[in-house]
Amino acid sequence: MKIIIMDTTLRDGEQTSGVSFTDEEKLSMAKFLLEDLMVDRLEIASARVSEGEFEAVKKITSWATKHKLIDRIEVLGFVDGTISVNWLKETGAKVLNLLTKGSLKHVTEQLRKTPEQHAADIKQVVDYAINQELVVNLYLEDWSNGMRNSKDYVFFMMDSLKDMKINRFMLPDTLGLLNPDETYSFCKEMKDRYPDKEFDFHGHNDYDLAVANVYSAIKAGISCIHATINGLGERAGNVPLSSVIAVVKDHFKYTMSVNEKKLTLVSKMIESFSGIKIPPNKPVIGDNVFTQTSGIHADGDSKSKLYYNDLLPERFGRKRIYALGKTSGKANIKKNLEEIGIELDPASMRKVTQRIIELGDKKETVTQEDLPYIISDVLRNKSIHEEIEILNFALSTAHGLKPVATLKIKIRNEVFEETSNGDGQYDAFMKALRKIYKRLDKSLPALLDYSVSIPPGGKTDALVQTVITWKTGREFRTRGLDCDQTVAAIKATLKMLNIIENNAL
C-alpha cells in the first residue's frame, strides 16, 4: 500500500503564532517540498487572506505550471458563492480544498444555518468550481467533534455530497482532541460506510497524540495524511512529517514518494524561514536524536550495534554522534578519537576520560573538536600547535555607523593587521579576518550556525558560551567562553583557525 502525503506547511503551518512567510520564501519552500522532498500534494495558502498571499500563490502556480507540477498545488477556499473560486482562477491554481462544516455545532452556532442550507451552499460552490475546471477536495472542519457529538449530521453531509464530483474528503481533528482508539473507530466507520470514497486524515497535536492518531488512521485504511515540516501549526501544531515518515515506513512497511534523505535539509530551511527552533529532542530531526550519551550505549554499538534501531541516521542524511560529557565512558571517547584519527594508550585514555567527566560536572559543553586541546592539556604533549594567535583586536560601535573591527593576528610567526566594518561587531571581525586570509590565498570554512547560551540569573558578569558550527568538507563545532558574547565568538573562531591550520579534522 502507498501512503500519499499532503504537506500543508505553507498554509496551516503558517498559522503558527509569529510565523509569516514572504512570497519568495514560499516559492523557495514549494520548490524544495515538491522537487527535493517529493511530497505528493502541497497546500500553499488560503484564498482571500491578503494581497501578499495572492502574489505568493501566483508565483508558485506560475513556476509549477512551467514544471508540470500544477496539479499538485492546492489552495484552501471557502463556502462563499463564487468568490474563492474566482480568486483561485486569477492566481492560476487548479485545485480547491473547500472548507465546510463537519459538526452540527459549527453549522448552527457559527454559520447560523440548518444542515440543509449549508449543504445547498456547498453544492453551489462545488458546481461552480467544476464548471471553472477546478479539481475539488472537501474539508469537513471539526469532523472529530462531529463524530463524537453529531454523527448523524456528518453522515447527512456525506450522503448529500457523495454523488458530486469531489475528489477527496478530508477528515480534520481540528482541535486535536481525538485519541487513537477514537481515530481508528471514526476513520473505519467512514471507510466502511463510503467504501468508494477517498479520505485524508488531518491531525493536530493538542494532546500530543497526533502521531499516534495518524497510526490509527492508517490502520483504519486512510490512504492520505496531512502533515507539516517540523510540526508547525496553530496552538500545539500539526503532526510533523518526519514522524509520519517513520511510522509509515517502519511500522507499516508501506511505500511513500517522500525522499527522506532530504528531510533534514528541508527541516533546517523551514526552521530558518519560520524562526521556530527545532527542539533538540524532536524525533528524527532534532540535533540530539542520533546522539548516544551513555558510555554503555557506545560500548554496545562498538561490539554489535546493540543500541541501533530502524531509524538509522544515514536514512536522513545524518550520522550517529557519541556525546562527550559526565556520562561518557571510554567507548564514547574512543569513537570520537577514531573520527579525528587519534589513538591513545590505556593510561592516557583514562586521564582524558576523567578530564571530560570533570568538565561535564561543571556543565561545560565538550565537542569532538575540543579533544585535541584536552589531550594536549592533560598529557602535556603537542597534539595541537597554536600556529595562530590573535595578538590584539579592537571593536567599536557608534550610533548611526556600522561597527568596525581592527584585527592583529600572528600566523606561523608572521604578523598581519586588517580593519573592516560589518553588520555587527563579530561580522566586522570576520570580514577583517577574511581580508587577511584572502591575501594569503587561504580559505575559511562556511559558518552554518551561531548559538549563544547564557546561564540564568541575569548577572552582568555571567559567562556567555558561544558555539559556532562550521563546514569545510564536514561539519564541526567550536566553542568559546567569556563574559562578552563577541569575545566568546572570537575565541571559538580562534579554535577553528588552529584546527584548520593543524589539519586536525
Side-chain angles (χ1 to χ4, degrees):
M1 180 173 170
K2 180 180 177 181
I3 297 298
I4 297 166
I5 292 295
M6 189 188 85
D7 184 281
T8 184
T9 307
L10 303 185
R11 199 277 298 175
D12 219 9
E14 198 180 23
Q15 291 180 199
T16 307
S17 179
V19 172
S20 179
F21 301 126
T22 67
D23 53 357
E24 288 299 330
E25 287 172 340
K26 279 201 165 193
L27 178 58
S28 295
M29 288 185 278
K31 290 177 179 179
F32 266 94
L33 290 165
L34 287 174
E35 292 189 320
D36 293 85
L37 195 56
M38 297 172 64
V39 298
D40 302 283
R41 300 161 55 198
L42 190 63
E43 189 175 50
I44 61 170
S46 298
R48 300 166 34 202
V49 167
S50 67
E51 187 61 33
E53 195 84 325
F54 181 80
E55 293 302 322
V57 174
K58 281 180 67 176
K59 284 185 178 180
I60 293 171
T61 57
S62 175
W63 168 81
T65 300
K66 289 175 185 174
H67 291 79
K68 295 182 170 53
L69 297 169
I70 190 61
D71 293 338
R72 291 162 64 184
I73 300 291
E74 306 179 15
V75 176
L76 183 81
F78 307 96
V79 183
D80 54 10
T82 62
I83 300 173
S84 286
V85 173
N86 290 340
W87 194 93
L88 262 74
K89 288 293 288 184
E90 286 186 57
T91 63
K94 300 292 186 184
V95 182
L96 167 66
N97 291 343
L98 185 61
L99 188 69
T100 71
K101 297 303 184 182
S103 69
L104 182 62
K105 198 171 185 180
H106 269 220
V107 172
T108 56
E109 296 188 20
Q110 188 174 38
L111 297 184
R112 308 287 185 184
K113 292 191 174 186
T114 65
E116 291 77 12
Q117 287 171 324
H118 187 43
D121 292 342
I122 294 168
K123 289 178 181 179
Q124 179 189 358
V125 176
V126 173
D127 282 337
Y128 182 65
I130 292 169
N131 182 259
Q132 295 297 310
E133 299 182 327
L134 296 183
V135 173
V136 179
N137 301 312
L138 189 135
Y139 273 112
L140 289 166
E141 185 186 14
D142 202 36
W143 167 81
S144 47
N145 256 323
M147 292 298 284
R148 268 189 180 182
N149 305 313
S150 52
K151 196 175 287 187
D152 288 344
Y153 165 79
V154 176
F155 295 149
F156 166 79
M157 290 300 295
M158 286 297 302
D159 290 340
S160 300
L161 302 170
K162 66 180 181 179
D163 294 327
M164 300 199 76
K165 197 175 177 182
I166 295 169
N167 194 41
R168 303 190 71 93
F169 288 87
M170 307 193 286
L171 312 176
D173 182 14
T174 303
L175 300 178
L177 53 86
L178 293 181
N179 62 50
D181 291 338
E182 288 176 305
T183 302
Y184 176 80
S185 175
F186 294 160
C187 288
K188 192 167 191 312
E189 202 165 352
M190 297 295 285
K191 287 288 295 179
D192 289 347
R193 190 176 177 108
Y194 306 100
D196 59 333
K197 299 302 171 190
E198 297 289 345
F199 292 103
D200 301 1
F201 181 74
H202 179 108
H204 282 261
N205 203 34
D206 295 67
Y207 282 93
D208 206 16
L209 289 171
V211 178
N213 288 339
V214 162
Y215 179 91
S216 292
I218 295 172
K219 188 177 178 182
I222 300 298
S223 60
C224 181
I225 301 298
H226 297 190
T228 62
I229 303 297
N230 304 343
L232 291 182
E234 200 168 13
R235 305 183 312 277
N238 294 36
V239 66
L241 178 57
S242 50
S243 296
V244 173
I245 291 171
V247 166
V248 170
K249 290 196 170 183
D250 296 354
H251 287 272
F252 286 100
K253 310 299 181 185
Y254 290 163
T255 60
M256 307 173 78
S257 298
V258 174
N259 179 4
E260 60 185 24
K261 275 193 175 294
K262 297 291 185 178
L263 181 63
T264 302
L265 176 67
V266 174
S267 292
K268 291 294 184 184
M269 179 188 189
I270 303 296
E271 178 185 50
S272 175
F273 286 159
S274 68
I276 305 294
K277 293 288 286 183
I278 301 170
N281 62 341
K282 186 88 167 174
V284 181
I285 55 175
D287 282 347
N288 293 350
V289 297
F290 297 118
T291 300
Q292 300 281 38
T293 302
S294 168
I296 294 172
H297 294 173
D299 181 62
D301 287 350
S302 294
K303 290 173 179 173
S304 190
K305 298 183 178 178
L306 297 179
Y307 294 91
Y308 280 33
N309 60 23
D310 288 340
L311 288 172
L312 298 175
E314 292 78 15
R315 285 174 53 184
F316 309 101
R318 301 178 62 183
K319 69 176 186 175
R320 198 171 303 279
I321 296 170
Y322 295 88
L324 299 167
K326 68 179 182 180
T327 61
S328 298
K330 286 187 293 184
N332 274 50
I333 295 163
K334 187 178 179 183
K335 285 268 189 188
N336 280 276
L337 289 173
E338 286 172 358
E339 281 275 316
I340 57 177
I342 294 176
E343 191 172 338
L344 295 177
D345 60 75
S348 298
M349 179 70 83
R350 281 195 297 273
K351 290 179 183 178
V352 171
T353 302
Q354 187 56 41
R355 174 58 60 87
I356 288 170
I357 291 170
E358 289 169 6
L359 291 169
D361 271 332
K362 295 176 184 176
K363 294 191 175 182
E364 289 197 29
T365 300
V366 181
T367 70
Q368 189 180 87
E369 287 69 38
D370 290 321
L371 279 175
Y373 292 92
I374 293 170
I375 292 167
S376 179
D377 182 41
V378 171
L379 305 181
R380 297 293 187 266
N381 63 18
K382 294 186 178 180
S383 296
I384 284 286
H385 299 275
E386 297 290 342
E387 300 288 1
I388 298 176
E389 181 183 356
I390 294 176
L391 301 177
N392 210 339
F393 62 86
L395 308 171
S396 66
T397 184
H399 179 68
L401 298 174
K402 280 195 169 188
V404 175
T406 298
L407 168 65
K408 189 175 185 179
I409 188 170
K410 184 165 73 173
I411 303 174
R412 295 188 182 273
N413 296 317
E414 192 173 353
V415 176
F416 303 89
E417 187 173 325
E418 195 59 74
T419 298
S420 187
N421 59 33
D423 294 328
Q425 291 183 334
Y426 181 67
D427 184 52
F429 170 86
M430 286 300 295
K431 284 181 176 176
L433 180 63
R434 287 192 191 98
K435 284 184 179 180
I436 293 170
Y437 268 60
K438 187 175 181 181
R439 197 189 316 165
L440 296 172
D441 200 26
K442 289 175 173 281
S443 61
L444 289 171
L447 192 157
L448 298 184
D449 191 45
Y450 178 110
S451 65
V452 178
S453 59
I454 303 171
K459 295 181 181 178
T460 56
D461 60 347
L463 287 175
V464 176
Q465 178 176 262
T466 302
V467 178
I468 303 178
T469 305
W470 313 90
K471 181 161 187 174
T472 174
R474 73 174 182 85
E475 290 184 21
F476 67 101
R477 291 185 298 172
T478 57
R479 70 183 182 93
L481 206 63
D482 197 86
C483 297
D484 182 274
Q485 175 184 324
T486 305
V487 176
I490 290 171
K491 288 181 176 180
T493 305
L494 177 61
K495 193 174 287 187
M496 173 273 291
L497 294 175
N498 275 295
I499 287 172
I500 298 294
E501 196 70 21
N502 279 270
N503 293 315
L505 289 176

